[in-house]
Every structure is written in C-alpha cells, then in structure tokens.
Amino acid sequence: AQKITQTQPGMFVQEKEAVTLDCTYDTSDPSYGLFWYKQPSSGEMIFLIYQGSYDQQNATEGRYSLNFQKARKSANLVISASQLGDSAMYFCAMRDHGGSQGNLNFGKGTKLSVKP
Amino acid sequence: DVKVTQSSRYLVKRTGEKVFLECVQDMDHENMFWYRQDPGLGLRLIYFSYDVKMKEKGDIPEGYSVSREKKERFSLILESASTNQTSMYLCASTISGRGTYEQYFGPGTRLTVT
C-alpha cells in the first residue's frame, strides 16, 4: 500500500504568490518523520524541511512551512512569495517504524511551475 | 557540508553489459541507499546498507546487486543490463538513528541501456 500520496502531478503559481503542495501519509507507527525535498531540473535532491510526529509546532524554514495536520495525516508544504527558482519537482517523504536505518518512503512528486 | 558523489552523470550501456554505479560520501555516514527514479513513479528504493558488508533489499531489488566494502563507498551493480533499467539512479546517505536525519543525495546518474 502506498504510504505517501501526492495528488497533484503538476501545479502552476504566479510569481510572488503562495502555493500549497499536498501530501497525505499512512502509518500506524506513533513515531514518524516527514520530509520535503526539492529536485530542480539539474537533478539533485535538496532537503527543504522536516516535521516530527511529536513536534508541537509546524516546521518552518525561511519561505517554506509545513502545514501538519496529524489527525488528517496530512503534511502539506507551503511556499510563500514564490520565485522563478522554485520551479522544480517536490517530493514528500516519510520515515516510520520500517525506517530504523533511515529508510524513506517517497511520494510520486509534484511538478511546480512558477509563472513570471 | 556533506558531499555525496556519484561516478558518472550520464552513462550509456548496451543490453547484457555489466554496469557498476559508484557512490562515495565523505561524512562518515553509516547508512547508504540506492534509489531509482522514473517519471510518475517517484523514487523507489533498490537496496540500502547500514554498515560495511551489510545490505538490505528495498522495494525493487530484482536485477540489481550492491557492494559495500568500505564505509564511504556503496556500489550498485547491474549484472546484465536490460532496457527496462534505463532510468535515473540516485545515491543517498544518512547517519544512523531515527531523529531529524535527512538523507543527503548525490547528483544522480542517468543510465541509458540500448
């Protein structure tokens, strides 16, 4: 069964606007971690933000924030004030009880295109 | 900064060839991973290793093997390359434990099998 679901294959956003990329997850482990990565066209995977299941507050890193709704099992990425350089693939990933060696389960990704 | 390097960015091989993809990390990480990335499928785990000479199968190990003789190096081997192994291959590493330990990725190897 798929553990990470990203329902938006592609999205467009106007430059300087905010955008939300959806991610839902499935786990029975009370202890887990959620990650977002960015992959520009050059191919490298860039770590953006992390949320632990026991964290009381939503994670933020600069223009990135994670809207963590535990009861809904969702971990949406919010990018504020979009820039042209934000155009990339974005992957949500989770580490749960099966990931004691740091294994991550990745979603299929969302391709974000920022329009000038 | 953590650095993960992969031996080639682009590689073209013929069907039936034995292919080696090398990955090296310089941060003394215990855990290393090989993923395959295909459009619309995201990243799928092929194999991972949590220590020298230790390996575990991921979700799609068929047709692949791995080797980890030194802590910093993790090799992916295609014993007899096939066209359905044409893909982007990503190596990653992380320290051991279950904390906020993100995986650090190499630049990827785009393999084409003809």
Side-chain angles (χ1 to χ4, degrees):
Chain A
Q2 192 169 355
K3 289 193 171 185
I4 294 287
T5 303
Q6 294 180 254
T7 57
Q8 307 152 315
M11 286 194 70
F12 288 91
V13 65
Q14 202 69 39
E15 192 179 9
K16 299 181 183 177
E17 291 185 352
V19 63
T20 298
L21 306 183
D22 295 341
C23 173
T24 57
Y25 59 91
D26 183 29
T27 182
S28 57
D29 190 350
S31 177
Y32 53 89
L34 297 155
F35 301 77
W36 276 93
Y37 283 84
K38 172 184 178 182
Q39 187 182 41
S41 57
S42 54
E44 77 272 26
M45 294 283 283
I46 302 167
F47 167 71
L48 295 178
I49 197 166
Y50 168 84
Q51 179 84 43
S53 59
Y54 294 121
D55 293 344
Q56 294 297 313
Q57 295 188 338
N58 287 347
T60 60
E61 288 287 347
R63 293 186 300 110
Y64 304 108
S65 61
L66 202 151
N67 183 3
F68 182 47
Q69 298 188 43
K70 198 169 183 177
R72 294 185 177 185
K73 293 189 175 178
S74 74
N76 299 340
L77 177 70
V78 180
I79 305 174
S80 63
S82 298
Q83 302 172 357
L84 295 178
D86 293 335
S87 293
M89 285 290 293
Y90 289 82
F91 292 96
C92 179
M94 177 179 69
R95 183 183 61 233
D96 62 3
H97 63 277
S100 58
Q101 281 87 30
N103 304 19
L104 296 180
N105 287 291
F106 283 84
K108 295 183 178 181
T110 295
K111 184 175 183 179
L112 178 66
S113 300
V114 180
K115 297 186 290 184
Chain B
D1 282 350
V2 176
K3 192 169 184 182
V4 180
T5 57
Q6 295 182 228
S7 49
S8 306
R9 290 300 303 270
Y10 300 94
L11 206 53
V12 180
K13 295 292 182 180
R14 293 194 181 277
T15 302
E17 278 192 82
K18 190 169 186 175
V19 182
F20 293 88
L21 302 182
E22 304 284 340
C23 176
V24 178
Q25 50 93 6
D26 66 357
M27 282 301 292
D28 203 35
H29 285 172
E30 293 85 0
N31 304 326
M32 296 187 74
F33 308 83
W34 275 106
Y35 293 93
R36 165 177 178 155
Q37 183 181 9
D38 300 288
L41 297 179
L43 277 74
R44 294 179 292 169
L45 182 64
I46 305 172
Y47 267 98
F48 67 96
S49 169
Y50 52 90
D51 202 352
V52 175
K53 297 190 185 294
M54 305 301 288
K55 61 184 180 184
E56 292 280 347
K57 292 180 180 179
D59 299 319
I60 51 164
E62 296 79 19
Y64 303 95
S65 62
V66 291
S67 172
R68 192 161 181 206
E69 298 296 320
K70 293 184 178 182
K71 192 175 185 179
E72 67 272 16
R73 187 179 298 268
F74 191 35
S75 302
L76 180 69
I77 303 156
L78 287 66
E79 295 290 342
S80 178
S82 64
T83 55
N84 62 14
Q85 292 178 309
T86 291
S87 187
M88 169 72 100
Y89 291 88
L90 291 163
C91 174
S93 72
T94 188
I95 62 175
S96 185
R98 297 184 64 188
T100 314
Y101 303 136
E102 74 267 25
Q103 292 187 7
Y104 295 86
F105 283 82
T109 295
R110 192 167 294 279
L111 172 67
T112 302
V113 182
T114 62

